[in-house]
Amino acid sequence: MKLTIGMLSFLISFQALADQGLNPFGPEYKPEPSSEVVVKNMPVVRSQDSVGICYSFVASTLIDEANCTARKITDCSKLPDDQRSSPLDLTRFSTVLPQDADYTDRFNYEGLNTGGGSPALTLQNAIASAAVVKESCAPFDQFVSKINNPAEAQKLELAMWKRFDDAYNEYKKRKEKCVECALEYATAVGNELKENYNLKASNQEILEAFAEKTHAKFLDKLLIPDQCWDFKNQTALKGSWSLKVFPEEEGSGYEASLKKIKEVLGTKKRPLAIGFCTQTPLKAKSQEKCGTTMKDGSFSGEGHAVVIKGYRRVCNSQNKCYDALQIQNSWGQSWQDSTNGGWVDAKELLNRTFYERHSLSWLEPTK
């Protein structure tokens, strides 16, 4: 996995990140009476740390919230790991399968995608397969740094991901010259990785990971132990659910998008996923163009995804009023606390979706 600007941006302070297309409202803005609609029984706020998989954290949040609703769990924030979906495992479902592939077969989704994806596609494929690994079997926190200093912790995590990348590439180079030498290298490095990064995979599984043909499959074998493929270590949506998206066509505009969000939150009582461009200043005109072209000609995307869980109309003492959306962001509880609970400017956020097809998505029970 190559380190990208999107990943390195996590080394910036939370306050700087708060300005990346979110424009949070401070406590001086008070909600208008009766304007607020909020989905309150949400899963705990989590942090994706230095890994660019916001889309899978969003998908995991929506799946876990839907299961809390279906199972009538009154405090979803205390959902145990053996009842939560693994964001790591969900990254496999961001893949577009060939048209003739069986979308319901989990075994067709091989390889972890740690370079970005779509919450809607991930949810669609996860629902079809009905088999997502439990957080208890493939915990994201298995290799997350426990250092309290965020900048130092993220620096160590980036070094870890680079170590995975370097180790796999070095094995491939050695294998081209000497198969036996490569095996010896993989054995030694595998033991090091397991010890240094607290991996749950066995030594044999880590050794087998090096033999995988792609880096995505290497990470899959490294981070998702074989036992996680057993049915007892997987979870699925309880009941019957369907994925809904908006807009169906381009150019819905702000008012139509806000109306749909208020309808989903208020009438359907469902949280939504939203994908948007964090580029600052915003120069892109589409999600596809959202990013920075590097000196070597490569393109580093600057997209992000969050969960929308509330709406309110807010005004200050000068009677200056705005539409506000409450988001649950996978930048962690520190970010939520520093942005007045995640209340941000609705128009600024929605404008950064460019009102493209399927920029909003949510789960809805089918009758």
Side-chain angles (χ1 to χ4, degrees), residues 131-156:
V132 180
V133 168
K134 295 177 180 178
E135 176 70 9
S136 55
C137 195
F140 182 76
D141 292 343
Q142 66 183 292
F143 47 73
V144 172
S145 175
K146 303 302 188 291
I147 294 177
N148 291 328
N149 183 307
E152 288 301 314
Q154 289 159 358
K155 189 181 298 184
L156 288 174

Side-chain angles (χ1 to χ4, degrees), residues 34 36 102 134 318 322 355:
S34 304
E36 185 172 287
D102 183 357
K134 295 177 180 178
Q318 285 75 47
Y322 297 89
Y355 305 102

Side-chain angles (χ1 to χ4, degrees), residues 91-367:
T91 65
R92 74 178 64 255
F93 296 111
S94 65
T95 302
V96 178
L97 296 183
Q99 287 188 347
D100 59 347
D102 183 357
Y103 283 73
T104 67
D105 187 351
R106 172 182 165 83
F107 285 90
N108 284 329
Y109 300 95
E110 290 187 296
L112 303 187
N113 175 15
T114 56
S118 161
L121 176 63
T122 302
L123 286 166
Q124 176 181 292
N125 290 338
I127 293 172
S129 74
V132 180
V133 168
K134 295 177 180 178
E135 176 70 9
S136 55
C137 195
F140 182 76
D141 292 343
Q142 66 183 292
F143 47 73
V144 172
S145 175
K146 303 302 188 291
I147 294 177
N148 291 328
N149 183 307
E152 288 301 314
Q154 289 159 358
K155 189 181 298 184
L156 288 174
E157 289 166 18
L158 286 170
M160 176 198 69
W161 287 103
K162 186 176 186 302
R163 181 61 179 135
F164 289 166
D165 193 27
D166 290 346
Y168 179 71
N169 290 335
E170 181 63 25
Y171 169 81
K172 289 299 183 184
K173 289 179 182 178
R174 296 193 182 205
K175 188 177 180 183
E176 290 178 358
K177 299 178 181 179
C178 171
V179 174
E180 187 175 330
C181 302
L183 183 59
E184 291 177 358
Y185 171 80
T187 301
V189 173
N191 292 335
E192 172 209 320
L193 295 180
K194 183 172 177 62
E195 180 179 349
N196 290 348
Y197 301 119
N198 195 33
L199 302 180
K200 295 193 70 174
S202 68
N203 289 335
Q204 181 60 34
E205 288 169 342
I206 294 173
L207 190 62
E208 292 171 356
F210 280 96
E212 293 291 347
K213 293 182 178 180
T214 67
H215 188 263
K217 291 183 179 181
F218 163 71
L219 287 179
D220 196 343
K221 193 78 172 178
L222 192 70
L223 302 178
I224 311 293
D226 286 347
Q227 65 179 353
C228 296
W229 290 77
D230 293 342
F231 182 75
K232 65 180 180 180
N233 289 319
Q234 296 175 2
T235 186
L237 282 168
K238 178 178 174 57
S240 181
W241 295 81
S242 62
L243 177 70
K244 301 294 183 180
V245 295
F246 185 87
E248 291 287 354
E249 302 296 336
E250 301 285 345
S252 63
Y254 173 69
E255 294 298 335
S257 294
L258 185 64
K259 180 180 178 181
K260 177 57 67 175
I261 290 171
K262 292 165 70 174
E263 174 193 335
V264 174
L265 290 173
T267 304
K268 303 181 184 297
K269 303 186 185 305
R270 311 298 311 135
L272 308 90
I274 181 171
F276 64 101
C277 180
T278 66
Q279 188 183 64
T280 304
L282 183 61
K283 297 179 180 179
K285 302 296 183 183
S286 68
Q287 293 286 10
E288 183 181 6
K289 301 295 184 182
C290 175
T292 302
T293 300
M294 312 302 288
K295 291 182 179 180
D296 62 1
S298 62
F299 184 79
S300 178
E302 296 178 74
H304 190 46
V306 296
V307 173
I308 298 174
K309 61 181 180 181
Y311 164 83
R312 63 167 87 156
R313 183 77 174 168
V314 297
C315 302
N316 64 10
S317 58
Q318 285 75 47
N319 205 32
K320 191 172 185 179
C321 301
Y322 297 89
D323 293 313
L325 294 174
Q326 188 180 29
I327 64 171
Q328 184 158 315
N329 195 348
S330 56
W331 289 340
Q333 189 60 50
S334 295
W335 186 91
Q336 294 288 145
D337 294 341
S338 70
T339 55
N340 193 32
W343 287 100
V344 302
D345 187 332
K347 192 165 188 177
E348 176 69 20
L349 178 61
L350 289 174
N351 281 347
R352 287 172 172 269
T353 70
F354 309 106
Y355 305 102
E356 294 179 352
R357 294 177 68 244
H358 305 175
S359 54
L360 296 169
S361 56
W362 65 96
L363 295 174
E364 203 170 293
T366 57
K367 298 181 180 179

Side-chain angles (χ1 to χ4, degrees), residues 74-87:
T74 56
D75 190 351
C76 199
S77 67
K78 295 182 179 179
L79 204 63
D81 284 355
D82 64 356
Q83 294 182 35
R84 293 199 295 173
S85 55
S86 165

